[in-house]
Amino acid sequence: MSEVVTGDAVVLDVQIAQLPVRAVSAIIDMTVIFIGYLLGLMLWAAALSQLDEALTIAFLIMFTVLAFVGYPVAIETATRGRSVGKIVMGLRVVSDDGGPERFRQALFRALASVVEIWMLMGSPAVICSMVSPKGKRVGDMFAGTIVVSERAPRLGPPPAMPPSLAWWASSLQLSGLTAGQAEVARQFLSRATQLDPRLREQMAYRIAAEVFSRVAPPPPPGVPPRLALAAVLAERHRRELARLRPAMGPAMGPQGGPYAAAPWPAQPPMYPPPQAIPWPEPDVPPQTPPPGGFSPPS
């Protein structure tokens, strides 16, 4: 999972395509282009005896350019970043800001592929993809694109906002929370019921300590760490949807009208702090607190 920052400063979590999957996609595309080029050569050879020699050479050069540059540019532009190999492997080329691939970017990628893939047998593309943190080849560097996987496992719905913590979550500063930390917290909450009680409580305190070191203000006293984590993730999801809504337009309800906005309450009187909720104690208290853990208040 990697982060892509859009032009509106919205952070998107995308699945970067792995090198083996991209290699299979490239082999499929190269096979399609090579077969088409052979068929074109056969037609060129059949017409060689009927046309002028200079004209046949000009046709051969034009067809070569169309096969190795024009075809990739045309198909990726028409399909918004997909080719035959990428369709088979579930990949797509997108801009660095998460937008669809443009004609200029497809042209840069196709021109670079003539050298790094066809002339040099793909060795620069493999080396560059292994070194780049986002798996970019040389053409992606010039074009400002990345290749993402559209078959990544779908994430479950975000945790529900605890009503008693909505007033606190609405005042959170979440700019320091990274996508990786939020994903760790989300996976923990989705699997918490499957964990051993002792391990579950230890992980809850440790993950909560890491998350709350990046957000402010701290949770109200007496709040269980799992409830506080759920409030943070629910508020983060709500704010991302609020930033995306101006670009996507209002969501439509089942009756054809837009959904009414339902922001979290911002005033504590509507949802008083849960002073009576004690910190949950682990079923089997750990002998020593985990290093850097989220220790319960005394």
Side-chain angles (χ1 to χ4, degrees), residues 38-62:
L38 285 180
L39 294 177
L41 287 181
M42 294 172 61
L43 295 176
W44 172 79
L48 181 63
S49 58
Q50 303 176 8
L51 299 178
D52 181 73
E53 181 179 358
L55 186 59
T56 56
I57 294 177
F59 281 157
L60 177 62
I61 295 175
M62 291 175 57

Side-chain angles (χ1 to χ4, degrees), residues 12 30 46 68 91 103 118 127 157 163 191 198 204 225 234 248 283 296:
L12 304 177
M30 293 173 66
F68 291 95
L91 307 180
F103 172 80
W118 291 104
I127 296 174
R191 302 174 183 174
R198 175 180 175 179
M248 297 187 303
D283 293 350

Side-chain angles (χ1 to χ4, degrees), residues 244-262:
L244 288 173
R245 187 167 294 128
M248 297 187 303
M252 303 306 292
Q255 304 299 329
Y259 282 111

Side-chain angles (χ1 to χ4, degrees), residues 12 48 50 64 66 75 89 117 164 178 182 216 224 237 257 266 271:
L12 304 177
L48 181 63
Q50 303 176 8
T64 302
L66 288 176
I75 190 171
M89 302 306 297
I117 294 180
S164 58
T178 65
H237 181 72
Y271 298 100

Side-chain angles (χ1 to χ4, degrees), residues 102-167:
R102 294 179 286 272
F103 172 80
R104 173 183 56 83
Q105 295 170 322
L107 179 60
F108 282 144
R109 283 173 48 85
L111 291 175
S113 68
V114 174
V115 178
E116 63 172 329
I117 294 180
W118 291 104
M119 292 185 178
L120 300 179
M121 301 300 295
S123 54
V126 173
I127 296 174
C128 188
S129 297
M130 295 176 64
V131 174
S132 172
K134 292 187 176 182
K136 291 188 173 189
R137 65 176 177 89
V138 178
D140 293 319
M141 296 288 187
F142 286 122
T145 57
I146 56 176
V147 181
V148 300
S149 175
E150 296 184 315
R151 295 178 182 173
R154 295 184 178 274
L155 300 179
M161 169 66 72
S164 58
L165 296 178
W167 66 271

Side-chain angles (χ1 to χ4, degrees), residues 135-275:
K136 291 188 173 189
R137 65 176 177 89
V138 178
D140 293 319
M141 296 288 187
F142 286 122
T145 57
I146 56 176
V147 181
V148 300
S149 175
E150 296 184 315
R151 295 178 182 173
R154 295 184 178 274
L155 300 179
M161 169 66 72
S164 58
L165 296 178
W167 66 271
W168 165 71
S170 63
S171 64
L172 286 175
Q173 297 291 333
L174 301 177
S175 57
L177 184 64
T178 65
Q181 292 171 330
E183 177 63 17
V184 170
R186 189 198 65 81
Q187 291 186 5
F188 165 71
L189 292 178
S190 64
R191 302 174 183 174
T193 57
Q194 306 172 8
L195 300 176
D196 178 77
R198 175 180 175 179
L199 177 62
R200 180 173 62 239
E201 297 305 326
Q202 291 179 353
M203 291 183 62
Y205 286 118
R206 183 169 64 251
I207 295 174
E210 183 179 356
V211 169
F212 296 138
S213 65
R214 299 296 188 95
V215 303
V223 177
R226 280 191 287 169
L227 284 182
L229 289 174
V232 170
L233 296 183
E235 177 66 16
R236 181 176 183 267
H237 181 72
R238 185 188 72 87
R239 294 184 185 181
E240 289 182 352
L241 288 181
R243 286 194 293 264
L244 288 173
R245 187 167 294 128
M248 297 187 303
M252 303 306 292
Q255 304 299 329
Y259 282 111
W264 306 129
Q267 298 299 328
M270 298 183 63
Y271 298 100
Q275 301 292 340

